[in-house]
Amino acid sequence: MEEASGVDLDWFWRGWFYTTDHVDISLDTVYKLRLDTKDPDIDFSREREYEADKPLSLTTERNAAEGKLWVERFPDIKDFYDENDRFTVTNKET
């Protein structure tokens, strides 16, 4: 644990193993960390899955409930942002 955190934890282990004192500890924060593999094929697909698991915005849900979107009714107004997938790996990322 010391090697992974880079913090000297002697104060923590002393109370557990070398004394009979009461160990009083608490958690202030908990972080969810993810290691970056530096491989865009793996990282981008992981980010795509993370974004897909997020709930839809209220605006998106209401637009879908009303019927076809403006872009679906008039396909000639589509532009770069309608077709762009930000999780597609390009030569620059590779």
Side-chain angles (χ1 to χ4, degrees):
M1 287 174 42
E2 288 181 352
E3 190 175 309
S5 67
V7 177
D8 182 20
L9 298 174
D10 286 346
W11 61 270
F12 177 79
W13 299 116
R14 190 176 303 113
W16 282 94
F17 295 109
Y18 302 115
T19 68
T20 57
D21 294 340
H22 174 71
V23 179
D24 185 19
I25 58 172
S26 67
L27 297 175
D28 293 331
T29 57
V30 176
Y31 296 101
K32 180 179 179 181
L33 300 176
R34 178 180 48 91
L35 294 177
D36 190 7
T37 63
K38 302 293 185 194
D39 183 358
D41 293 322
I42 296 171
D43 293 335
F44 282 17
S45 64
R46 185 185 303 147
E47 289 179 26
R48 178 181 282 124
E49 290 172 8
Y50 176 74
E51 288 293 322
D53 289 341
K54 284 185 177 180
L56 293 175
S57 69
L58 186 58
T59 304
T60 306
E61 289 179 3
R62 288 181 178 168
N63 286 340
E66 287 185 14
K68 284 190 167 184
L69 298 175
W70 185 265
V71 175
E72 293 170 349
R73 288 187 286 175
F74 303 103
D76 57 323
I77 64 169
K78 288 187 177 182
D79 61 1
F80 170 79
Y81 297 102
D82 293 313
E83 302 296 327
N84 184 37
D85 180 15
R86 65 183 178 136
F87 300 114
T88 300
V89 179
T90 63
N91 289 335
K92 182 178 180 182
E93 282 99 17
T94 303

